[in-house]
Amino acid sequence: MGNFVGSFILFQTTLDQKVHWLAHWNYERQEFMLPGAKKKPYETFQHCLISEIEKTFELVPFEDFIISQDPQAHLAFSDKPSTEHPSEHYIIELFDFQALKSSARKILDADLRNRWVNEQDIEEGTTADDFPIAGLFRALFHKANLDGRLS
């Protein structure tokens, strides 16, 4: 990934008495990740995410959803996945939905590119149907203390 400056949406639900997070298939990396995008130089982190949700899920901002004004977390860190790969550097903001219409929630649930993943899935790095989950998802899960969040 190299350098990444961008934002992701944190969307959680409770299924079978466990907190699950929305993960979206990343075609380029062939793995599930939090829905989000790389920020363009002229965008704010929030606007970057609003544009991505609008484009990816065809949801209308302020009609179907509203993103929280302040991020849940602002993270800046480096990671070296292996000795063969160069260090990767990240500046990331994580946002919550402030509001999400029930019809928009149904769109997210019905989208075959999405999965609901729980802490065990994230730690193991695979979805319940054996698709890979990004290592970055796991890193963000721990760095933003998502396991400590209540639904």
Side-chain angles (χ1 to χ4, degrees):
M1 190 175 269
N3 295 327
F4 180 87
V5 177
S7 53
F8 297 101
I9 190 72
L10 301 173
F11 186 44
Q12 67 184 38
T13 193
T14 302
L15 302 169
D16 300 324
Q17 300 178 351
K18 290 183 182 176
V19 175
H20 285 67
W21 301 90
L22 182 69
H24 184 73
W25 184 251
N26 181 314
Y27 288 98
E28 182 180 326
R29 296 180 61 92
Q30 294 291 292
E31 60 191 3
F32 278 95
M33 181 55 192
L34 290 166
K38 199 169 192 175
K39 185 176 98 50
K40 295 178 178 72
Y42 56 85
E43 291 180 308
T44 66
F45 286 93
Q46 185 187 44
H47 286 112
C48 160
L49 189 54
I50 289 169
S51 296
E52 184 64 18
I53 292 169
E54 183 178 23
K55 179 179 76 175
T56 301
F57 302 113
E58 297 180 4
L59 299 177
V60 180
F62 305 106
E63 185 178 312
D64 292 325
F65 71 96
I66 299 174
I67 293 203
S68 58
Q69 197 166 16
D70 296 316
Q72 160 78 21
H74 177 90
L75 303 167
F77 62 96
S78 295
D79 187 33
K80 186 159 178 62
S82 68
T83 54
E84 303 91 44
H85 295 94
S87 292
E88 298 175 339
H89 307 283
Y90 302 95
I91 300 173
I92 294 171
E93 287 195 352
L94 302 173
F95 289 87
D96 288 310
F97 280 119
Q98 181 178 322
L100 180 68
K101 282 176 73 173
S102 61
S103 59
R105 165 64 191 261
K106 288 177 184 173
I107 290 169
L108 295 177
D109 283 340
D111 192 327
L112 297 176
R113 301 169 298 170
N114 293 339
R115 296 290 186 281
W116 289 103
V117 297
N118 62 32
E119 181 176 2
Q120 182 179 346
D121 299 332
I122 295 165
E123 292 296 345
E124 292 174 357
T126 58
T127 63
D129 53 351
D130 292 324
F131 285 95
I133 296 174
L136 179 57
F137 196 146
R138 187 172 39 264
L140 294 174
F141 186 79
H142 291 286
K143 290 181 184 302
N145 192 30
L146 299 182
D147 55 338
R149 286 175 44 122
L150 299 174
S151 58

